[in-house]
Amino acid sequence: MASFLPCASGDFAEAPAAPVPEVGMAAPDFLLPAADGPIRLSDFRGQPVILVFSPPGWDPAEAAQLALFNDTAARLAPARARLLGVSLDGPWCSLDLENEGGLRFPLLRDFDPAGGVAHRFGVYGSRAVVVIDGDGVVQWKHVFPAGLPARPEVLAAVFADLAPPDPIGPSLTRRQFLITALVASLAAAAWPAPAPAETSAASPQGSAPPRPPQVLDLTLQVNGVDHALKVDSRVTLLDALREYIGLTGTKKGCDQGTCGACTVLADGRRIKSCLTLAAMAEGRRITTIEGLAREGKLHPVQAAFIDHDAFQCGYCTPGQIMAAVALIDEGHAGSDDEIREWMSGNLCRCGAYPNIVAAIRQAAGGKKA
Ligand code: FES
Ligand code: FES
């Protein structure tokens, strides 16, 4: 019978090199700290375990996804299956989540050495889901492209491959079916199906069938380059930039138009890309933070932000810079008060506002306000 590969502790620096486990191979055991004490993978022998790895680098958008994992963890409990998060972010981030995020599943701290367990599973730097059965064997593993969020359609495609015509037919053991069902349940909770299309009040039947998502062929011109995309009509420009084109400099903060982290330029005018559908951006010149520098030389606003230390964590900075570039072009940098007023749509949790104003004042120097 297969079993977990042994290990003495969470520190793999001195452990003998082991092959990265693929489906059908024994999962490497590990011992990692968590809020309520250390957790060893092999302690769950006899229970399926779902490991959810996140890439390093905190993205507030992940908070929503973690909330959905909470629900999944609760729904897995009757099946005695466990969901374990593996955090690669700094301890402060992990603590923040545990204290404020109301996590209902253990968040293991893979910090010492940084990402040691993720490396052992071959998933470091990516979002990944690994399902391990009660015998310690990897039954399912999916690694999402590095730096890109998990996309529901990718999971859906994988599940389609996994799902047998007859769930407990001869091609699949009951245990495999259980694992498949658990993974499907995870996905269903983490990425709920789109809300049904609105029912027309005028519909004689009173209940129109849900509209299937409409897939669009779009060409977005971003930073002077045309990108041909096939996207759901509901995809925002922000998601198109980050998830489809891979330009992750534009940040997702609130995803509802209040923080300004997602600010980009459309034909030179600032817009919030989380409030703009990708389809609405076709035919416009989109500029993101990645498109500001020219021939290796920073844009004056970027240089001024560095000169004035106008950031701390830096999460809001791409949006601040894009808004500042537009603000100067709009002629709204005449005074510090004016700068503050016209930058008020861009929030900074770190409170770097005085330095941001100073940077914009410098970058605007010599320009007519
Ligand atoms: Fe906050 Fe768009 S992400 S305004
Ligand atoms: Fe951290 Fe603005 S939110 S620098």
mmCIF file of all heavy atoms in Angstrom, residues 238 251-263 272-275 345, ligand 1:
data_model
loop_
_atom_site.group_PDB
_atom_site.id
_atom_site.type_symbol
_atom_site.label_atom_id
_atom_site.label_comp_id
_atom_site.label_asym_id
_atom_site.label_seq_id
_atom_site.Cartn_x
_atom_site.Cartn_y
_atom_site.Cartn_z
ATOM 1 N N LEU A 238 -10.042 44.828 -16.513
ATOM 2 C CA LEU A 238 -9.033 44.475 -15.514
ATOM 3 C C LEU A 238 -8.677 42.984 -15.600
ATOM 4 O O LEU A 238 -7.507 42.609 -15.646
ATOM 5 C CB LEU A 238 -9.556 44.809 -14.104
ATOM 6 C CG LEU A 238 -8.677 44.380 -12.938
ATOM 7 C CD1 LEU A 238 -7.298 45.021 -13.018
ATOM 8 C CD2 LEU A 238 -9.341 44.737 -11.605
ATOM 9 N N LYS A 251 -3.508 46.507 -10.708
ATOM 10 C CA LYS A 251 -3.903 45.739 -9.521
ATOM 11 C C LYS A 251 -5.413 45.702 -9.317
ATOM 12 O O LYS A 251 -6.127 46.634 -9.679
ATOM 13 C CB LYS A 251 -3.249 46.332 -8.256
ATOM 14 C CG LYS A 251 -1.730 46.339 -8.313
ATOM 15 C CD LYS A 251 -1.163 44.960 -8.555
ATOM 16 C CE LYS A 251 0.345 44.965 -8.546
ATOM 17 N NZ LYS A 251 0.911 43.790 -9.246
ATOM 18 N N LYS A 252 -5.835 44.624 -8.687
ATOM 19 C CA LYS A 252 -7.243 44.496 -8.290
ATOM 20 C C LYS A 252 -7.325 44.720 -6.784
ATOM 21 O O LYS A 252 -6.775 43.948 -6.013
ATOM 22 C CB LYS A 252 -7.778 43.117 -8.654
ATOM 23 C CG LYS A 252 -9.244 42.932 -8.327
ATOM 24 C CD LYS A 252 -9.737 41.540 -8.682
ATOM 25 C CE LYS A 252 -10.016 41.379 -10.151
ATOM 26 N NZ LYS A 252 -10.693 40.088 -10.460
ATOM 27 N N GLY A 253 -7.975 45.802 -6.402
ATOM 28 C CA GLY A 253 -8.133 46.083 -4.973
ATOM 29 C C GLY A 253 -9.545 45.730 -4.556
ATOM 30 O O GLY A 253 -9.823 44.644 -4.074
ATOM 31 N N CYS A 254 -10.481 46.673 -4.774
ATOM 32 C CA CYS A 254 -11.856 46.459 -4.336
ATOM 33 C C CYS A 254 -12.684 45.735 -5.388
ATOM 34 O O CYS A 254 -13.677 45.097 -5.083
ATOM 35 C CB CYS A 254 -12.495 47.805 -4.035
ATOM 36 S SG CYS A 254 -12.578 48.864 -5.496
ATOM 37 N N ASP A 255 -12.313 45.857 -6.648
ATOM 38 C CA ASP A 255 -13.065 45.292 -7.773
ATOM 39 C C ASP A 255 -14.470 45.875 -7.867
ATOM 40 O O ASP A 255 -15.362 45.242 -8.410
ATOM 41 C CB ASP A 255 -13.127 43.755 -7.655
ATOM 42 C CG ASP A 255 -13.308 43.085 -9.020
ATOM 43 O OD1 ASP A 255 -13.030 43.746 -10.039
ATOM 44 O OD2 ASP A 255 -13.735 41.921 -9.069
ATOM 45 N N GLN A 256 -14.666 47.062 -7.308
ATOM 46 C CA GLN A 256 -15.981 47.692 -7.423
ATOM 47 C C GLN A 256 -15.893 49.206 -7.569
ATOM 48 O O GLN A 256 -16.828 49.915 -7.236
ATOM 49 C CB GLN A 256 -16.866 47.310 -6.235
ATOM 50 C CG GLN A 256 -16.261 47.627 -4.898
ATOM 51 C CD GLN A 256 -17.123 47.111 -3.756
ATOM 52 O OE1 GLN A 256 -18.008 46.307 -3.956
ATOM 53 N NE2 GLN A 256 -16.868 47.582 -2.551
ATOM 54 N N GLY A 257 -14.755 49.685 -8.021
ATOM 55 C CA GLY A 257 -14.682 51.085 -8.406
ATOM 56 C C GLY A 257 -14.391 52.081 -7.316
ATOM 57 O O GLY A 257 -14.521 53.280 -7.542
ATOM 58 N N THR A 258 -13.959 51.629 -6.150
ATOM 59 C CA THR A 258 -13.747 52.605 -5.077
ATOM 60 C C THR A 258 -12.283 52.885 -4.746
ATOM 61 O O THR A 258 -11.996 53.915 -4.146
ATOM 62 C CB THR A 258 -14.445 52.166 -3.776
ATOM 63 O OG1 THR A 258 -14.003 50.870 -3.440
ATOM 64 C CG2 THR A 258 -15.940 52.155 -3.927
ATOM 65 N N CYS A 259 -11.367 52.012 -5.097
ATOM 66 C CA CYS A 259 -9.994 52.189 -4.597
ATOM 67 C C CYS A 259 -9.030 52.779 -5.616
ATOM 68 O O CYS A 259 -8.020 53.367 -5.245
ATOM 69 C CB CYS A 259 -9.438 50.872 -4.062
ATOM 70 S SG CYS A 259 -8.966 49.693 -5.351
ATOM 71 N N GLY A 260 -9.280 52.604 -6.894
ATOM 72 C CA GLY A 260 -8.407 53.162 -7.924
ATOM 73 C C GLY A 260 -7.181 52.331 -8.243
ATOM 74 O O GLY A 260 -6.384 52.712 -9.109
ATOM 75 N N ALA A 261 -7.009 51.180 -7.593
ATOM 76 C CA ALA A 261 -5.816 50.362 -7.845
ATOM 77 C C ALA A 261 -5.754 49.883 -9.290
ATOM 78 O O ALA A 261 -4.683 49.566 -9.796
ATOM 79 C CB ALA A 261 -5.797 49.162 -6.899
ATOM 80 N N CYS A 262 -6.900 49.830 -9.937
ATOM 81 C CA CYS A 262 -6.974 49.258 -11.294
ATOM 82 C C CYS A 262 -6.908 50.327 -12.381
ATOM 83 O O CYS A 262 -7.201 50.039 -13.533
ATOM 84 C CB CYS A 262 -8.280 48.486 -11.427
ATOM 85 S SG CYS A 262 -9.707 49.579 -11.279
ATOM 86 N N THR A 263 -6.521 51.554 -12.020
ATOM 87 C CA THR A 263 -6.563 52.662 -12.990
ATOM 88 C C THR A 263 -5.634 52.419 -14.183
ATOM 89 O O THR A 263 -4.473 52.075 -14.010
ATOM 90 C CB THR A 263 -6.169 53.989 -12.305
ATOM 91 O OG1 THR A 263 -7.020 54.208 -11.183
ATOM 92 C CG2 THR A 263 -6.277 55.162 -13.266
ATOM 93 N N LYS A 272 -11.272 53.301 -14.578
ATOM 94 C CA LYS A 272 -11.123 52.183 -13.650
ATOM 95 C C LYS A 272 -11.440 50.903 -14.420
ATOM 96 O O LYS A 272 -12.579 50.683 -14.844
ATOM 97 C CB LYS A 272 -12.028 52.379 -12.440
ATOM 98 C CG LYS A 272 -11.497 53.509 -11.553
ATOM 99 C CD LYS A 272 -12.333 53.799 -10.364
ATOM 100 C CE LYS A 272 -11.617 54.844 -9.494
ATOM 101 N NZ LYS A 272 -12.463 55.370 -8.417
ATOM 102 N N SER A 273 -10.429 50.105 -14.571
ATOM 103 C CA SER A 273 -10.591 48.944 -15.457
ATOM 104 C C SER A 273 -11.485 47.873 -14.851
ATOM 105 O O SER A 273 -11.982 47.013 -15.564
ATOM 106 C CB SER A 273 -9.229 48.358 -15.826
ATOM 107 O OG SER A 273 -8.502 47.965 -14.688
ATOM 108 N N CYS A 274 -11.724 47.951 -13.533
ATOM 109 C CA CYS A 274 -12.630 46.955 -12.929
ATOM 110 C C CYS A 274 -14.083 47.283 -13.251
ATOM 111 O O CYS A 274 -14.960 46.440 -13.080
ATOM 112 C CB CYS A 274 -12.420 46.853 -11.419
ATOM 113 S SG CYS A 274 -13.025 48.269 -10.468
ATOM 114 N N LEU A 275 -14.337 48.518 -13.671
ATOM 115 C CA LEU A 275 -15.708 48.918 -13.993
ATOM 116 C C LEU A 275 -15.942 48.972 -15.502
ATOM 117 O O LEU A 275 -16.981 49.455 -15.954
ATOM 118 C CB LEU A 275 -16.010 50.297 -13.392
ATOM 119 C CG LEU A 275 -16.030 50.397 -11.870
ATOM 120 C CD1 LEU A 275 -16.420 51.816 -11.446
ATOM 121 C CD2 LEU A 275 -16.980 49.386 -11.267
ATOM 122 N N GLY A 345 -9.703 59.735 -5.976
ATOM 123 C CA GLY A 345 -10.254 58.433 -6.350
ATOM 124 C C GLY A 345 -9.268 57.298 -6.187
ATOM 125 O O GLY A 345 -9.593 56.152 -6.484
HETATM 126 FE FE1 FES B 1 -10.662 49.199 -6.844
HETATM 127 FE FE2 FES B 1 -10.975 49.011 -9.477
HETATM 128 S S1 FES B 1 -10.064 47.590 -8.174
HETATM 129 S S2 FES B 1 -11.409 50.704 -8.223
#
